[in-house]
Amino acid sequence: QIRTREYTASLAGMQLRRDGSGLDSDLVGVALYMDDNGTGNPANGDGIFQPALDSRASQWTTFGSAGIRTAVVYLNTPRQIDTSTVTYFVSYRVSDSAQTGVTQGVSIQDKADIRLSEGTVLPIPIYASSLVTIQPTSDELNLVDYNKSAPNNFSIPGAATQGDNDVVVARLTLQTLQRTAIWTGLKVDRYNPN
């Protein structure tokens, strides 16, 4: 949350310090969102981060671009700040290959981390987020169709001769509903109804 005691200032961006035991490369990017519920007016914010509604106020920036554990995130358009509070959320994009079991957080260390294009920042305490532990991805592979004939009129042969090779016995249509999955094998049990 940011505001002035009196008059106005123009917020251009912030320097953010990455905290925790993880690496800069564990994060694809960092961005600022303004709490406005999609209205463009911070007075309509509700204090809840909703990335589908709240306005992304900056481009995605990588940590390390301004030094190890550091990113400078500039607003797309400098924001006039006055005595009314404006809430910004710091959002991370976690890499698909991020280390698991490590922590990530963010902090603003001092007044020099607040970048104004107009105005002066008074001394501030260190603002630090809690640390978030990176969990492994929950990958899932689903069988969504069995022996589907479309799009090429697939069908199973009615008979096979002893010694035949490459006899199709089933067509499996698989899909991941979230993230990715690596298929390493298939166990097939021979079934004989006789």
Side-chain angles (χ1 to χ4, degrees), residues 11-16 29-33 57-63 65-66 70-76 90-91 113 115:
L11 179 65
M14 299 177 193
Q15 178 169 288
L16 303 172
V30 58
L32 296 175
Y33 282 78
S58 72
Q59 298 300 312
W60 289 97
T61 304
T62 57
F63 277 97
S65 58
T70 305
V72 178
V73 181
Y74 287 101
L75 300 180
N76 296 329
V90 177
S91 177
D113 290 344
R115 305 295 168 92

Side-chain angles (χ1 to χ4, degrees), residues 3 13 54 56 61 66 73 97 103 116 118-119 128 138 144 186 190:
R3 66 179 177 86
D54 293 329
R56 184 163 50 87
T61 304
V73 181
S97 59
T103 57
L116 299 181
E118 180 184 303
S138 299
V144 294
L186 175 67
R190 187 177 69 152

Side-chain angles (χ1 to χ4, degrees), residues 153-176:
N153 296 321
F154 170 80
S155 64
I156 297 174
T161 305
Q162 289 178 327
D164 283 354
N165 291 322
D166 300 325
V167 177
V168 177
V169 294
R171 179 179 186 171
L172 307 176
T173 305
L174 306 172
Q175 179 181 11
T176 58

Side-chain angles (χ1 to χ4, degrees), residues 5-182:
R5 287 186 180 173
E6 56 187 2
Y7 306 114
T8 62
S10 182
L11 179 65
M14 299 177 193
Q15 178 169 288
L16 303 172
R17 315 287 173 104
R18 186 189 58 76
D19 298 330
S21 60
L23 302 173
D24 286 350
S25 60
D26 291 335
L27 303 173
V28 176
V30 58
L32 296 175
Y33 282 78
M34 184 172 62
D35 184 18
D36 65 359
N37 284 318
T39 65
N41 183 350
N44 294 325
D46 58 7
I48 300 169
F49 180 48
Q50 302 173 82
L53 286 179
D54 293 329
S55 299
R56 184 163 50 87
S58 72
Q59 298 300 312
W60 289 97
T61 304
T62 57
F63 277 97
S65 58
I68 296 173
R69 303 179 77 90
T70 305
V72 178
V73 181
Y74 287 101
L75 300 180
N76 296 329
T77 304
R79 177 83 190 179
Q80 183 173 325
I81 305 296
D82 57 26
T83 56
S84 300
T85 299
V86 178
T87 299
Y88 286 96
F89 296 105
V90 177
S91 177
Y92 282 173
R93 276 190 183 163
V94 180
S95 169
D96 288 339
S97 59
Q99 298 178 65
T100 59
V102 299
T103 57
Q104 294 285 359
V106 68
S107 63
I108 296 173
Q109 297 287 319
D110 59 41
K111 70 179 189 173
D113 290 344
I114 306 298
R115 305 295 168 92
L116 299 181
S117 55
E118 180 184 303
T120 303
V121 180
L122 298 175
I124 61 172
I126 294 174
Y127 291 103
S129 72
S130 56
L131 296 176
V132 176
T133 302
I134 305 300
Q135 301 292 326
T137 303
S138 299
D139 295 333
E140 182 179 299
L141 180 67
N142 297 296
L143 175 63
V144 294
D145 210 331
Y146 182 77
N147 291 338
K148 181 178 178 179
S149 64
N152 59 356
N153 296 321
F154 170 80
S155 64
I156 297 174
T161 305
Q162 289 178 327
D164 283 354
N165 291 322
D166 300 325
V167 177
V168 177
V169 294
R171 179 179 186 171
L172 307 176
T173 305
L174 306 172
Q175 179 181 11
T176 58
L177 299 178
Q178 54 183 339
R179 306 273 184 203
T180 59
I182 298 173

